[in-house]
Amino acid sequence: MPIEFLGMGAGNDSTETSPATTPFFDPSYAAKIARIHEENNWDHVLFAYNSATQDPSVHATWVAANTERIQLRLAHRPNVSHPTFAARSFLSLDHIAQGRLTVHFITGGSQADQAREGDFVAKDARYGRTQEYMQIVRRAWSGGSFDWNGEHYQFTDFASGLAPFNGKRPGISFGGSSEAAWSVGAAEADIYALFGEPLADAAGQQEQILSRAAALGRTDPLRWQIAFRPIVAATDELAWEKAHAILGRFQARRSAGEVIDPVRHYTAKAEAAGTQRLLAAAERGDLHDRALWTALAKAAGGGGGSATALVGSYDTVTQAILDYHELGFEIFGLRGYDFVPDAIEFGQRVIPQLKQEVAHRERSVAPEAFRAAHADARARLLRH
């Protein structure tokens, strides 16, 4: 099982701890940060979505034209376009990228942000719509004409003249931590993405999703992804100094009203089940397992900066990521608090030793033993 790393395809250089020094969407910066990831051992970059930012599909197309190898993860919300149009748009981008596209379908964790673009469908119903949307997109990619008469979409005799690049369709990524999300992802996703929870909590979600996949008779394997904010340095002491400095800057900017989450206000209750789970973990303690730090998630209160951090030396964070890899997670979504230096530091100091160690393990252990070890690791965590 490989190990891969997904960074942030940012459109400007602002983060929760520092204001932008670039325009709100700066094409030159967007190309630069993507190339930095490509040149420093990263495998993917993400183009995120919310109602306030640039169109991620245009952003991704620009990056595709300015890079050669980096894989593109395009976030897409089903409420913003018809699935037959989206299916052709995705294929058009994938042809420009020459087969480097995976689409991440997001159902939406904020009713308010959905409403900003005219979507008033309730959350559980949105999951049903997302599932139907993914089914239509996949069917459109398979070729031939077809009719559709579903709960959310109806059309007749649709056919795409554009086929997948070199006969291979783009990947389908999906995330969510509610029961409705587990069922949809178990049925439709190639990649299931989770937020960075403690090991036992992440293993519990995997088991919920796998049980639903088994009940559906699914035979093709799911790939697992998990997301963190890495805070690394040469030693544990220096990493923790950096972490507390980041927390201090975040709190100062928030107190000054400089940090505004475009999805929800900090005083509102987090709606997304994944965010609720992160905040619940934060209430249990600031530090979990080897290096998982929840203080930043708690400080953000469920806002856009609420992802948990992995804090420690290069070796400590390497081992922490290997703990998750042993559960079957093979894609790690990571973004720092200073995009350029953090992408370079992590790409040069941590990614190479992780890839080297995973390659060594793959050479030493048969694939069947690898799968059994992942299952055993989840079982041990769930027993405790």
Side-chain angles (χ1 to χ4, degrees):
M1 185 185 73
I3 189 166
E4 299 174 9
F5 298 91
L6 180 147
M8 176 57 68
N12 64 55
D13 65 352
S14 69
T15 73
E16 300 88 345
T17 59
S18 59
T21 65
T22 64
F24 185 79
F25 177 56
D26 184 347
S28 63
Y29 180 85
K32 172 186 173 181
I33 191 66
R35 286 195 295 265
I36 283 171
H37 282 85
E38 185 171 70
E39 294 163 1
N40 287 278
N41 302 306
W42 295 78
D43 303 285
H44 315 254
V45 286
L46 170 68
F47 304 93
Y49 189 100
N50 67 60
S51 64
T53 58
Q54 68 276 3
D55 178 354
S57 63
V58 176
H59 182 175
T61 302
W62 168 249
V63 167
N66 283 275
T67 55
E68 296 178 359
R69 301 179 308 279
I70 198 81
Q71 298 288 311
L72 312 177
R73 183 73 62 87
L74 174 66
H76 180 78
R77 285 206 313 215
N79 61 293
V80 298
S81 65
H82 196 272
T84 56
F85 172 82
R88 302 193 314 280
S89 296
F90 299 147
L91 289 182
S92 300
L93 170 54
D94 199 38
H95 276 255
I96 293 171
Q98 296 189 308
R100 291 185 278 149
L101 178 66
T102 293
V103 184
H104 180 65
F105 292 91
I106 50 177
T107 302
S110 165
Q111 195 74 45
D113 200 54
Q114 298 294 129
R116 291 185 182 108
E117 295 188 295
D119 184 16
F120 298 94
V121 176
K123 184 179 178 183
D124 283 351
R126 292 203 301 271
Y127 276 111
R129 181 181 63 187
T130 300
Q131 181 169 19
E132 189 174 332
Y133 197 99
M134 290 190 288
Q135 291 170 342
I136 292 169
V137 168
R138 182 186 282 109
R139 175 64 184 83
W141 288 342
S142 68
S145 63
F146 67 105
D147 302 336
W148 193 271
N149 186 21
E151 180 180 355
H152 301 278
Y153 302 101
Q154 299 82 36
F155 53 85
T156 59
D157 198 29
F158 172 78
S160 172
L162 185 62
F165 180 78
N166 282 349
K168 182 181 178 183
R169 68 166 174 81
I172 291 176
S173 171
F174 176 84
S177 296
S178 66
E179 292 194 15
W182 294 337
S183 296
V184 172
E188 308 297 341
D190 301 318
I191 299 167
Y192 203 110
L194 298 174
F195 287 135
E197 299 186 344
L199 288 162
D201 295 353
Q205 284 213 70
Q206 286 178 303
E207 289 303 304
Q208 291 286 350
I209 296 160
L210 288 170
S211 68
R212 285 161 174 77
L216 292 167
R218 176 171 178 157
T219 56
D220 53 319
L222 267 169
R223 301 183 71 198
W224 298 102
Q225 177 181 312
I226 196 162
F228 303 99
R229 306 295 293 268
I231 303 174
V232 298
T235 67
D236 287 334
E237 292 77 12
L238 289 172
W240 281 107
E241 286 180 17
K242 184 190 289 189
H244 288 293
I246 288 169
L247 178 60
R249 290 197 300 273
F250 176 85
Q251 291 172 326
R253 293 197 72 215
R254 179 181 167 187
S255 296
E258 298 175 1
V259 178
I260 301 173
D261 187 336
V263 176
R264 58 174 296 275
H265 297 294
Y266 290 108
T267 54
K269 183 180 185 296
E271 297 174 36
T275 303
Q276 292 172 15
R277 290 174 64 97
L278 293 189
L279 295 177
E283 289 300 322
R284 301 200 306 265
D286 284 350
L287 185 62
H288 297 259
D289 304 318
R290 194 187 300 267
L292 184 70
W293 192 47
T294 64
L296 280 159
K298 188 173 183 179
S306 62
T308 50
L310 291 177
V311 183
S313 69
Y314 306 135
D315 288 341
T316 295
V317 171
T318 291
Q319 293 303 314
I321 288 175
L322 288 172
D323 291 340
Y324 285 92
H325 188 261
E326 289 175 0
L327 293 179
F329 290 98
E330 59 182 286
I331 304 172
F332 290 82
L334 306 166
R335 63 184 173 107
Y337 287 89
D338 194 350
F339 291 140
V340 169
D342 287 351
I344 293 171
E345 182 178 32
F346 196 87
Q348 293 183 354
R349 300 288 189 172
V350 183
I351 290 178
Q353 63 187 36
L354 275 162
K355 291 194 172 185
Q356 182 178 8
E357 176 59 24
V358 169
H360 171 72
R361 294 182 181 190
E362 286 187 324
R363 288 192 300 268
S364 304
V365 181
E368 295 78 9
F370 243 111
R371 287 191 288 271
H374 298 324
D376 287 346
R378 282 197 299 271
R380 286 196 304 273
L381 285 166
L382 292 171
R383 284 197 299 269
H384 294 89

